[in-house]
Amino acid sequence: MADDDREQSEGAVSRRAFLKGGAAATGALSATLMPGVAEAQLPLAKDADPRLTTVDLRVNGVAYRKEVPNSRTLVEFIREDLKLTGTKVGCDRAMCGACTVILNGRNVYACSMLAVEVSGGDVTTIEGLGTTDALHPIQQAFIEKSGFQCGFCTSGQIMSTKALLDKMPRPTEDDARLLMSGNLCRCSAYKRILESVMTASRLLQA
Amino acid sequence: MDNFSYARPATLRDAASQLGREHNRVMLIAGGTDVLGELKDHLREPERLVPIRHLKELQGIRPSRTGLRIGAATLLADIAESDVIRQQAPVLAMAAGKVGTPQIRNMGTIGGNICQRPRCWYYRNNYPCFKHGGNTCFSAAGENDFHAILEGGPSFIVHPSDTAPALVALGATVRISSGSRERSVPIAEFFVTPRQDARRENVLQPNEIVTELEVPSAPAGSKAIYVKEMVREMWDFALCSVAAMVTVQNGVVQNARIVLGGVAPRPYRAAAAETALVGKALDEASATAAGEAAVQGARPLAKNAYKVPLTQAVVKRALLSLA
């Protein structure tokens, strides 16, 4: 699959197609043409595959560099390449908010951005906030107020809370409702999520 | 999602040079909120994506002779929160603030918002409709609850953009570049009806990029509002929306712009509603008349007749909030 894609991706003859066709076609190629084709198409030892790109990303303060397919989403990069599985995939269509991370200071849906698009960026995930021994005040607030039921949406809720409180340390309940609106909770723990956000705001002021 | 080639162009000219002569083999990506959904659902399977959000030619909010120039890659969140846009073109800031969710507004761009593809479920489920190169609109005799009541046929999609009605109300101009050639298109002519082209929603050629929006300042003394009615309260695409901009002097409406979203295949300028207002006091009677005039000529389908009274009510409510 990948090889076939690679061959189709370049308008000109790829190395593989050239070699495959070689046995039958070499005789037909004129001596003057052949060296030109070979020089132009034979890749260097490490060929630059146009369908792979090296992504540089700073995640929770650590710099990562990985070559990934261009179609790799940011959330796949975070979960599968970096093994940071605190960020969840819900709808995978920019609707539910489970995949929310903070990219360059803004909360975004990591399912609907390509890793290659955000190369050079700075990402914070739930793993970057606190640890079980030293909880971040927002995590503490969610536990204190039971701002969840099943917990699947929680890391996204917490990342949106972080983006909200970084921007607006003392939101009103209406501000919080609006700025948390991109994160759905199928258990419908909204009332307690809102209490958690307001409590987190107070804890962070203290 | 299938894989594709990808290389960040250094300049607008480089980006344009990567585009071809067909719409779907090479695709532009800016914020990507719509493009990624299309790729994941295999609505389009491009060989190459050309990223443009980083291009410096597409950035910034700058003053111009008549108002503002807004780079096409400006984030919707930045438009919604921009002081200068709130002052000079408030209806645009309001509309941008109604797009999707906070995350969507942190990702999506104004250029992408006006170029997004329809939300029609037949299109999104890959039915071979006009938008996919076919010759049928499956909504016409199908599930058409959310489809067009105005300017429909042969395709009955509705234009999903929130910022587009606001930009039409303001009389914006779309700056377009193919790298070697630039052109300016008044935004009302940027969007097309399905009768003009059932496959596309705008006049962009496959090798063209929206680079900038020239947005004239709202008239002195004008008041404006963007009202969006949705299936649920917090966020969704519009069932019906209205960008209304009205100038009242000495108790009489001098000038009115009323543009509807979510009810027609392009942002729909309700000229009859504007006419119904000019010269009148802005009150219950004139707002009601404008609401009725806004849906003049509406031809609802089997399941979307509710949009007629809904649109009347939304127009009326928007206008009364400006009185």
Side-chain angles (χ1 to χ4, degrees):
Chain A
M1 171 77 182
D3 279 349
D4 289 347
D5 283 353
R6 215 169 297 171
E7 279 175 17
Q8 287 162 10
S9 71
E10 293 295 272
V13 187
S14 71
R15 184 180 70 137
R16 203 176 136 97
F18 178 70
L19 293 178
K20 264 200 309 202
T26 310
L29 285 170
S30 79
T32 52
L33 182 60
M34 218 181 102
V37 171
E39 267 171 33
Q41 301 305 331
L42 282 177
L44 300 172
K46 194 169 185 319
D47 190 12
D49 184 329
R51 296 183 172 227
L52 298 176
T53 301
T54 301
V55 170
D56 284 298
L57 205 59
R58 205 170 173 79
V59 181
N60 303 328
V62 180
Y64 295 90
R65 161 173 283 217
K66 280 189 186 284
E67 188 178 57
V68 297
N70 296 329
S71 56
R72 182 80 32 107
T73 60
L74 175 56
V75 76
E76 288 167 347
F77 187 81
I78 290 169
R79 287 179 54 85
E80 289 163 34
D81 292 290
L82 307 187
K83 308 294 181 203
L84 295 170
T85 52
T87 305
K88 304 301 180 193
V89 182
C91 69
D92 201 28
R93 291 294 184 284
M95 292 189 286
C96 78
C99 67
T100 300
V101 298
I102 297 178
L103 169 68
N104 303 329
R106 297 173 185 262
N107 54 332
V108 297
Y109 295 136
C111 75
S112 292
M113 299 191 114
L114 295 171
V116 293
E117 282 277 270
V118 302
S119 188
D122 193 332
V123 171
T124 306
T125 70
I126 189 74
E127 289 90 344
L129 289 197
T131 62
T132 34
D133 298 330
L135 292 173
H136 187 278
I138 299 174
Q139 292 168 314
Q140 208 180 314
F142 270 74
I143 291 170
E144 216 171 273
K145 294 291 168 185
S146 294
F148 48 81
Q149 283 182 40
C150 82
F152 192 81
C153 71
T154 308
S155 42
Q157 302 281 0
I158 288 177
M159 297 320 288
S160 279
T161 306
K162 173 86 167 66
L164 154 63
L165 296 179
D166 283 348
K167 181 173 168 175
M168 193 186 286
R170 295 166 190 266
T172 64
E173 285 203 359
D174 279 349
D175 292 332
R177 278 197 182 91
L178 189 64
L179 287 162
M180 295 296 293
S181 64
N183 291 76
L184 303 186
C185 169
R186 277 302 297 270
C187 308
S188 210
Y190 293 112
K191 189 167 177 294
R192 284 168 180 271
I193 292 169
L194 187 61
E195 286 172 13
S196 305
V197 174
M198 303 311 285
T199 301
S201 165
R202 283 191 291 276
L203 290 180
L204 284 163
Q205 306 293 320
Chain B
M1 180 163 37
D2 292 341
N3 206 355
F4 40 77
S5 305
Y6 175 101
R8 265 189 214 186
T11 63
L12 176 62
R13 189 176 277 263
D14 288 351
S17 72
Q18 292 189 36
L19 299 174
R21 292 184 182 175
E22 288 175 53
H23 273 291
N24 296 333
R25 286 171 74 96
V26 180
M27 280 173 68
L28 293 170
I29 181 167
T33 55
D34 192 22
V35 168
L36 255 64
E38 288 200 302
L39 299 189
K40 288 176 183 180
D41 292 334
H42 298 273
L43 305 188
R44 295 197 272 172
E45 295 175 328
E47 292 166 4
R48 174 182 288 275
L49 284 196
V50 181
I52 53 172
R53 191 179 46 175
H54 63 286
L55 294 176
K56 69 175 190 313
E57 294 93 334
L58 272 56
Q59 314 297 323
I61 301 169
R62 287 180 292 275
S64 73
R65 271 186 302 119
T66 56
L68 295 169
R69 295 166 55 189
I70 302 174
T74 307
L75 292 175
L76 294 161
D78 290 342
I79 289 176
E81 290 165 20
S82 156
D83 288 336
V84 67
I85 295 178
R86 281 177 171 178
Q87 282 160 18
Q88 296 187 36
V91 72
L92 178 59
M94 287 186 248
K98 288 284 187 180
V99 176
T101 65
Q103 286 95 321
I104 295 278
R105 297 192 289 276
N106 280 339
M107 300 159 71
T109 65
I110 180 89
N113 190 259
I114 66 168
C115 294
Q116 65 183 304
R117 300 309 307 273
R119 303 308 306 180
C120 170
W121 40 35
Y122 292 103
Y123 173 68
R124 296 281 162 178
N125 281 288
N126 235 334
Y127 279 63
C129 66
F130 286 110
K131 302 296 178 188
H132 288 298
N135 59 3
T136 307
C137 177
F138 292 89
S139 75
E143 301 299 325
N144 48 39
D145 311 43
F146 302 124
H147 291 74
I149 55 169
L150 288 156
E151 294 191 324
S155 162
F156 289 89
I157 62 124
V158 294
H159 203 280
S161 171
D162 289 307
T163 58
L167 289 165
V168 173
L170 288 158
T173 298
V174 186
R175 294 283 295 160
I176 297 168
S177 173
S178 65
S180 52
R181 284 189 54 184
E182 297 213 341
R183 62 177 177 138
S184 293
V185 179
I187 192 147
E189 292 162 32
F190 177 76
F191 299 106
V192 298
T193 65
R195 268 179 245 291
Q196 290 168 277
D197 185 350
R199 301 203 170 166
R200 312 286 312 165
E201 297 79 55
N202 56 57
V203 298
L204 272 190
Q205 296 297 309
N207 66 339
E208 289 183 321
I209 299 170
V210 172
T211 58
E212 194 173 72
L213 291 146
E214 293 176 8
V215 182
S217 296
S222 65
K223 286 176 154 186
I225 191 164
Y226 183 74
V227 177
K228 179 178 179 181
E229 199 59 38
M230 299 169 277
V231 169
R232 54 190 176 203
E233 202 173 326
M234 207 46 141
W235 57 264
D236 203 341
F237 290 93
L239 291 173
C240 165
S241 69
V242 58
M245 196 164 73
V246 177
T247 314
V248 180
Q249 263 172 15
N250 306 322
V252 175
V253 176
Q254 306 292 320
N255 200 312
R257 287 291 176 93
I258 297 172
V259 185
L260 307 177
V263 293
R266 61 173 176 173
Y268 179 81
R269 184 155 171 204
E274 297 172 1
T275 307
L277 277 179
V278 173
K280 307 269 173 29
L282 185 53
D283 57 18
E284 178 92 16
S286 67
T288 306
E292 284 166 8
V295 292
Q296 224 172 62
R299 288 168 48 173
L301 301 163
K303 300 187 177 186
N304 67 3
Y306 72 92
K307 281 196 177 186
V308 175
L310 180 70
T311 304
Q312 288 179 351
V314 172
V315 169
K316 178 181 170 182
R317 197 197 314 156
L319 291 170
L320 285 178
S321 77
L322 300 177

